[in-house]
Amino acid sequence: CKNLFERQICMKEKLIKYLDKAFITLMVINLVLVVLGSAFILSDKAFVKNAERTKGYISHIEKQDDGKEKYIFTYFLNGETYETEYKFVDKDTYIGDEIYFYYNPENAEDIYIKTNPVWYVLVYLGLGLAAAETIAYLPLKKREVLYKTNVKAICRVIEIKPAWFTGKVIVCESSSVPGRKGKPFSSGSVNKKYAKSVKNKSLTVYYHPKNPNIYIVDTK
């Protein structure tokens, strides 16, 4: 990368590699969240299927050395009394509250208290992040790949129209790209201030050399 042009190409190639690595890394993290959440959900379902259901109650609160309170859940099975920490405390938790739980008939200390589906949060979080990251990644990937081909045209802004939700869409003429057959180029959504600043001006459009229908209007 000796001259300015070569340095720009090198920087763009590095950016593409960084985007790919970052996207793959984030997708792996999302996959781990989904797998963990699914594994815990299936494990809980399997336990409940083979367990017995009964109820216990919040018996008392213990003060710990750090000043925090620990709620104690008490239950009776086979003539024995058992106590364990109740870890699902919220503002509606009170002493004396009766709570249903599931227990292993072969081990009374092996219990499961069904609460809000916290493991589903992991699954939904993983899937939601994957969708959001894909939506963010694909346009960036497309932009950098098109930049790398370095096939571009300077196109005049012919129209500014409202975007679906907010902002504006910039429409550019395509007479310099015969493969478009007169069909204009349209940008993604941009803010109103930027749209106003390029009115009646020209923008650079990067497009695929073999298929000019794959393009991006440079609004950066």
Side-chain angles (χ1 to χ4, degrees), residues 7-219:
R7 286 199 296 270
Q8 290 177 334
I9 295 297
C10 286
M11 289 179 63
K12 289 172 182 176
E13 289 178 347
K14 289 180 180 178
L15 179 57
I16 291 173
K17 291 180 180 179
Y18 171 78
L19 287 174
D20 291 342
K21 289 180 180 179
F23 180 72
I24 292 172
T25 300
L26 291 172
M27 283 298 162
V28 169
I29 294 173
N30 296 334
L31 179 61
V32 170
L33 291 176
V34 172
V35 170
L36 280 176
S38 300
F40 285 125
I41 290 169
L42 293 175
S43 176
D44 289 345
K45 287 183 178 296
F47 183 88
V48 169
K49 184 178 179 180
N50 299 302
E52 299 290 338
R53 184 173 182 260
T54 186
K55 61 183 177 181
Y57 68 102
I58 306 296
S59 58
H60 61 283
I61 298 174
E62 293 182 356
K63 284 283 187 179
Q64 301 187 77
D65 294 338
D66 58 4
K68 293 183 178 180
E69 296 180 337
K70 182 168 71 173
Y71 283 66
I72 303 301
F73 178 69
T74 301
Y75 59 98
F76 307 96
L77 289 173
N78 304 320
E80 299 288 337
T81 301
Y82 298 89
E83 290 186 347
T84 187
E85 181 181 359
Y86 183 73
K87 299 180 179 180
F88 311 101
V89 177
D90 58 28
K91 60 183 181 64
D92 296 320
T93 302
Y94 299 97
I95 301 297
D97 285 350
E98 291 187 330
I99 298 167
Y100 280 97
F101 70 99
Y102 295 86
Y103 68 94
N104 183 348
E106 298 180 358
N107 181 4
E109 294 183 337
D110 187 11
I111 70 170
Y112 166 66
I113 300 174
K114 189 173 183 179
T115 57
N116 292 327
V118 292
W119 304 129
Y120 285 95
V121 174
L122 287 180
V123 175
Y124 294 144
L125 179 62
L127 294 175
L129 288 175
E133 288 154 11
T134 300
I135 292 171
Y137 167 77
L138 291 180
L140 289 173
K141 177 69 174 179
K142 177 183 176 183
R143 174 184 294 275
E144 295 309 321
V145 169
L146 291 176
Y147 280 172
K148 186 178 180 181
T149 64
N150 204 37
V151 179
K152 61 184 179 180
I154 305 301
C155 302
R156 183 172 57 87
V157 176
I158 57 175
E159 183 184 0
I160 296 174
K161 58 184 183 180
W164 283 0
F165 297 104
T166 183
K168 298 289 184 179
V169 171
I170 298 171
V171 182
C172 301
E173 54 85 25
S174 63
S175 59
S176 59
V177 184
R180 290 288 291 174
K181 299 179 181 180
K183 185 178 179 181
F185 294 107
S186 295
S187 74
S189 179
V190 298
N191 63 60
K192 295 178 181 178
K193 183 177 180 181
Y194 176 83
K196 186 177 180 180
S197 71
V198 297
K199 189 175 182 180
N200 300 321
K201 295 182 180 180
S202 295
L203 294 175
T204 301
V205 177
Y206 292 84
Y207 60 93
H208 194 283
K210 295 182 179 180
N211 183 2
N213 292 318
I214 301 174
Y215 67 88
I216 191 163
V217 179
D218 191 356
T219 56

